[in-house]
Amino acid sequence: MATPIILDCDPGTDDAFALLLALASPELEVLAVTVAGGNVGLECTLPNALALVALAEANVPVYAGADRPLLGAFVNETRVHGVDGLGGIGLPAGGAAASGVAADAIRAILRSAPRRVTLVGIAPATNLALALMTEPSLADRAEQIVLMTGAWGEGNATPAAEFNALNDPEALAVLLACGRPVVLVTLNLTAQALCTTERLAVLRRAGTSQCLARLCDIQATVPFGPRFGGTGAALHDPCAVAWLLRPDLFTTRACTVSVDLGPGPCRGRTVIDRWNRWGLPHNATVLETLHGDAFFALLGERLTRLP
Ligand code: BDR
Ligand code: CA
């Protein structure tokens, strides 16, 4: 039986891979795609999600969600994702968003689903947190909460913080405290999903799917930053979906994780107690290693199944 998921995203070049990987995978039943601002504003992330769902010819409702975090405003990342969020490649427009807002849809699905639902968050965690803050008992209806967020080392948005954690640390704190299993896909993990020029070329040759071709076009626009010495760009978000498909590609560690909510330079930093120094109850499973070549092989094998 397929695992029911809700995918909360902010497409976003790497979100595009995650979304299409999920839609291409029969092990997953995507009940809804919920969208927040983040990488770019909601006025772009929402049409991007709709265009990607249409490209995959999938029949999945897409809900508009938060255009700002619980506090303050999203700080966008157009240097990586382009001003439109998908590298300016110009996908055909998709259909209309479903009526209602993301947090309401998440609650309604959790309430009525016959089985627990896995929440996959690859954006600032605002939509997921709003859903659980407004009806905390529904947390029990979540099977697990898989989040691409945080790092045990340095950040990518600031020296201390990863982008999604920085853009709504209070929301992340709500999820870490909700009592259900949380799985963290950090920058330290996604560094092992480094998309180099060579890997992108191999991926492009994996098949003739239009979806695959457009994703490779999108990825080709992502600049190689200094973090990996100009050798590639980390494909962060599809790692969260890959965890659901091939957990055997990962090693994990149970940890206590907290997020810095202060106003200073450490805001949004995830403090991950990998060696149990606090001796506190664990609140997250942190993915530590990934078999990078097998991950890219999985992407190629799945994405070629799409139109
Ligand atoms: C995360 O931030 C966003 O820019 C990416 O889409 C990913 O979700 C990586 O730090
Ligand atoms: Ca994202």
Side-chain angles (χ1 to χ4, degrees):
M1 209 187 299
T3 299
I5 72 166
I6 295 173
L7 185 70
D8 187 60
C9 59
D10 62 334
T13 55
D14 57 330
D15 301 73
F17 277 85
L19 175 50
L20 294 191
L21 177 61
L23 293 176
S25 295
E27 300 92 332
L28 304 178
E29 182 189 7
V30 184
L31 301 178
V33 174
T34 56
V35 187
N39 287 318
V40 290
L42 184 66
E43 71 284 356
C44 290
T45 57
L46 180 63
N48 288 349
L50 290 162
L52 289 160
V53 167
L55 194 67
E57 297 176 11
N59 185 19
V60 175
V62 178
Y63 292 90
D67 67 353
R68 68 200 72 181
L70 299 181
L71 303 175
F74 292 133
V75 178
N76 301 150
E77 188 43 287
T78 54
R79 288 169 306 180
V80 172
H81 301 274
V83 289
D84 70 342
L86 293 180
I89 69 146
L91 289 182
S99 62
V101 296
D104 291 344
I106 294 166
R107 285 199 315 273
I109 291 168
L110 288 175
R111 220 181 281 124
S112 62
R115 290 190 291 145
R116 282 182 165 146
V117 175
T118 292
L119 304 177
V120 183
I122 56 173
T126 321
N127 291 332
L128 297 173
L130 276 171
L132 297 188
M133 288 163 72
T134 45
E135 199 169 339
S137 63
L138 285 177
D140 187 52
R141 304 293 307 144
E143 178 69 24
Q144 58 176 321
I145 304 174
V146 184
L147 301 174
M148 191 285 126
T149 193
W152 67 73
E154 65 183 6
N156 57 352
T158 70
E162 180 277 335
F163 178 87
N164 289 335
L166 179 72
N167 269 288
D168 203 336
E170 282 76 17
L172 176 56
V174 167
L175 298 181
L176 286 168
C178 80
R180 295 301 298 159
V182 172
V183 176
L184 284 199
V185 181
T186 69
L187 289 180
N188 305 91
L189 186 285
T190 65
Q192 299 162 62
L194 190 68
C195 191
T196 60
T197 305
E198 294 72 28
R199 275 179 166 161
L200 186 59
V202 172
L203 188 59
R204 197 184 275 282
R205 289 198 298 270
T208 55
S209 151
Q210 274 303 302
C211 286
L212 174 65
R214 295 289 77 76
L215 286 177
C216 291
D217 293 344
I218 290 169
Q219 188 61 25
T221 70
V222 176
F224 291 178
R227 208 153 71 87
F228 304 106
T231 60
L235 211 40
H236 309 282
D237 290 341
C239 295
V241 177
W243 162 249
L244 299 175
L245 301 173
R246 289 288 308 276
D248 58 301
L249 300 184
F250 299 81
T251 64
T252 68
R253 187 187 296 262
C255 294
T256 309
V257 178
S258 73
V259 56
D260 194 312
L261 304 180
C266 289
R267 180 166 172 77
R269 179 179 177 208
T270 48
V271 184
I272 301 180
D273 186 6
R274 294 176 65 225
W275 308 110
N276 216 14
R277 292 186 172 109
W278 283 325
L280 293 173
H282 300 147
N283 62 349
T285 298
V286 177
L287 306 189
E288 291 214 326
T289 66
L290 167 66
H291 191 310
D293 287 336
F295 167 78
F296 277 91
L298 174 70
L299 281 181
E301 185 266 312
R302 291 308 166 91
L303 295 171
T304 53
R305 299 183 187 194
L306 291 173

